[in-house]
Amino acid sequence: MCTAAVVCTAQVIILPIAWHQRKEESQRILAASEKAQQLLQAAGLTCRIDDGDKFTPGQKMKYWELRGVKVRLEIGPKESLAGSAVLAVQAAAPGQVAQKSSVKVAEPVLSQRVKAALQKLGALEDVAGDAPGPDDAQLQQQQQRQQLKEEGGEKRNAADAAESGEGDQGE
């Protein structure tokens, strides 16, 4: 878990909502949560499962909202049976009601919906990780062009100086 002084690096938090007295149901919900985590990680997203039983689901939601996690998946008994999850996208400020919708826990539906939510929030720039995005590639191309121009200009200036130096000696 992230500490209070640190903003969490996870883009998505997965909250399995289960009653631990119902062992079989809890196991099914946790398995569905792990499947969702695997799908999201395979799509390049950072996510965590908060399966602790010390706090209520509402307390967990608030905890993660305060740490900057704006997208969460809630998986309860009904969702685990249906192969779906509740996608909750945080409103403008922690404590406000999140926009919720149902999403299938299947590829590519899950990752597309989560990425769309992150894009809408402007939080998708970290998804690519080390791989350069379109803007990075364009920036690299511009830098290479500029470097070639500078190198070409230096070579031309050196050639011009050599020519003018030879010309001065010949006169």
Side-chain angles (χ1 to χ4, degrees):
M1 282 187 132
C2 302
T3 63
V6 178
V7 174
C8 187
T9 58
Q11 295 166 309
V12 181
I13 189 68
I14 301 170
L15 297 177
I17 300 172
W19 291 264
H20 293 285
Q21 297 81 8
R22 300 177 185 170
K23 298 288 184 199
E24 190 175 306
E25 185 176 81
S26 295
Q27 290 172 349
R28 187 178 63 246
I29 292 168
L30 188 56
S33 299
E34 289 169 350
K35 179 182 177 185
Q37 182 181 36
Q38 290 171 352
L39 291 171
L40 293 174
Q41 287 175 340
L45 297 166
T46 57
C47 58
R48 291 188 174 162
I49 296 175
D50 185 348
D51 61 350
D53 59 356
K54 186 176 179 182
F55 299 104
T56 67
Q59 290 170 322
K60 290 179 184 183
M61 291 171 197
K62 182 177 179 182
Y63 175 88
W64 290 108
E65 287 173 9
L66 291 173
R67 274 137 193 89
V69 179
K70 302 257 184 214
V71 177
R72 70 178 178 265
L73 285 177
E74 302 166 5
I75 301 176
K78 292 178 188 175
E79 291 81 17
S80 68
L81 286 173
S84 66
V86 174
L87 175 64
V89 180
Q90 182 53 43
Q96 293 181 346
V97 177
Q99 295 176 348
K100 294 184 178 186
S101 61
S102 182
V103 63
K104 279 286 186 194
V105 178
E107 193 55 44
V109 178
L110 179 64
S111 61
Q112 288 174 348
R113 291 276 305 276
V114 171
K115 283 181 178 182
L118 288 167
Q119 268 184 330
K120 187 176 178 182
L121 295 168
L124 192 59
E125 59 272 4
D126 295 334
V127 171
D130 293 335
D135 294 341
D136 293 337
Q138 289 174 352
L139 181 61
Q140 286 176 345
Q141 287 176 348
Q142 288 175 347
Q143 289 172 344
Q144 288 173 348
R145 282 191 214 117
Q146 184 64 33
Q147 185 178 6
L148 289 173
K149 282 182 184 179
E150 291 173 1
E151 288 175 1
E154 290 172 5
K155 288 178 184 175
R156 281 193 301 268
N157 289 340
D160 290 345
E163 286 178 10
S164 66
E166 289 175 9
D168 289 342
Q169 290 175 354
E171 287 181 356

